[in-house]
Amino acid sequence: QKEVEQNSGPLSVPEGAIASLNCTYSDRGSQSFFWYRQYSGKSPELIMFIYSNGDKEDGRFTAQLNKASQYVSLLIRDSQPSDSATYLCAVNPGGGSNYKLTFGKGTLLTVNP
Amino acid sequence: DAGITQSPRHKVTETGTPVTLRCHQTENHRYMYWYRQDPGHGLRLIHYSYGVKDTDKGEVSDGYSVSRSKTEDFLLTLESATSSQTSVYFCAISGRQGAQETQYFGPGTRLLVL
C-alpha cells in the first residue's frame, strides 16, 4: 500500500509568518509531487508541483523535495489569512501509472490576523 | 475550474436507489478520474478512464461502476446506494502544465444517502 502522510494539524501561524507544511511518502520510486490547496467546501486547486530534488519557488510558495529522505514540504512566506485552508500533498508513483495520484489526508492551516 | 463541470452539485437519495453522477469536460483530455472525499480519509480514487470505453478501478471501487462513451463525459453510477456512500465526489481530468502532467478538479457533488 503506497502511503502519503501529512500532519493533520491544525497548524496555526500568525499573519506574516512562514508556514511550513510537511509530507512523507512510502514509495521510493515516486517521481513527481504536488501541493493542492482546498478551501472549506471547495475543490482542490493545484498550487505547485516538483519533480527534482531541491527547491522550487513560485511567489510566496516554495516546494522542497528530498527523495533520499522521501520527504516533500511546502513553505508559505508572509502568510495571509487568505492562505487559511487545507493543504493536500499528492504523489505520482510513476512507472506504469503515470497519471494516477495518491493523496495525503491534508493539513489544515490557520493564519491568524 | 479547467473546463470541468459536475452534475448534480447536490443530491439527496434513499438507500437502495441507483444514482448517476456526471462529469463533463471541455478540454478534450484523455484521462478522467472519480474520487470521493471523506473526513479522516482524504481523497480516494474510485475509478479512472484513459480513453473512450477504457476504464479501470481505483482503491475504493466496490459498489461503483463507470462509463465513458464520449471523450467529454465520464459517468459514475452507484447501482444501489448505501449510507456509506454519503460523501463528496470529485471528478478530475489530467492535463499538462508545461512538461508535467497533473490533475485538475471539478467543483464536486455532495451526495447524501438516507
Side-chain angles (χ1 to χ4, degrees):
Chain A
Q1 181 77 14
K2 298 170 182 174
E3 296 182 347
V4 178
E5 300 287 343
Q6 296 182 255
N7 187 325
S8 63
L11 173 65
S12 183
V13 300
E15 183 174 355
I18 296 175
S20 178
L21 303 160
N22 305 315
C23 173
T24 59
Y25 58 95
S26 62
D27 184 1
R28 185 170 290 279
S30 297
Q31 296 187 352
S32 50
F33 308 85
F34 305 82
W35 284 100
Y36 287 82
R37 177 177 62 201
Q38 187 175 24
Y39 293 114
S40 180
K42 300 296 185 181
S43 59
E45 56 179 323
L46 181 68
I47 299 175
M48 292 187 69
F49 60 83
I50 185 169
Y51 47 82
S52 299
N53 276 328
D55 295 359
K56 178 182 179 182
E57 187 175 317
D58 184 0
R60 296 188 294 113
F61 299 95
T62 299
Q64 300 176 316
L65 175 61
N66 184 326
K67 288 186 178 180
S69 300
Q70 296 176 238
Y71 176 95
V72 58
S73 65
L74 180 70
L75 301 179
I76 306 175
R77 291 183 300 281
D78 188 24
S79 294
Q80 300 297 309
S82 59
D83 294 325
S84 298
T86 297
Y87 289 80
L88 306 175
C89 173
V91 175
N92 178 345
S97 55
N98 277 333
Y99 300 98
K100 289 169 65 177
L101 298 180
T102 300
F103 285 83
K105 296 178 182 179
T107 297
L108 177 61
L109 172 67
T110 300
V111 180
N112 302 305
Chain B
D1 288 335
I4 310 169
T5 57
Q6 292 184 232
S7 59
R9 294 292 313 279
H10 302 271
K11 186 170 183 65
V12 180
T13 191
E14 294 186 349
T15 297
T17 60
V19 176
T20 295
L21 308 183
R22 178 179 182 245
C23 177
H24 178 79
Q25 62 148 329
T26 59
E27 306 291 320
N28 200 35
H29 285 295
R30 180 182 173 194
Y31 282 77
M32 299 183 74
Y33 310 81
W34 277 107
Y35 291 89
R36 61 178 290 175
Q37 188 174 39
D38 305 287
H41 290 279
L43 277 164
R44 293 180 292 174
L45 182 65
I46 305 171
H47 282 279
Y48 69 102
S49 171
Y50 46 97
V52 173
K53 300 190 189 310
D54 293 322
T55 65
D56 204 352
K57 296 179 179 180
E59 65 177 298
V60 290
S61 59
D62 288 347
Y64 301 95
S65 62
V66 290
S67 66
R68 192 167 177 202
S69 58
K70 297 184 292 184
T71 299
E72 58 266 35
D73 289 326
F74 192 32
L75 304 180
L76 177 70
T77 297
L78 291 65
E79 301 291 348
S80 178
T82 68
S83 57
S84 65
Q85 293 176 312
T86 291
S87 187
V88 180
Y89 291 86
F90 289 104
C91 175
I93 62 172
S94 188
R96 187 166 288 275
Q97 185 177 104
Q100 179 63 54
E101 197 81 25
T102 189
Q103 291 185 19
Y104 300 91
F105 287 83
T109 294
R110 291 186 176 274
L111 177 66
L112 175 60
V113 183
L114 300 175

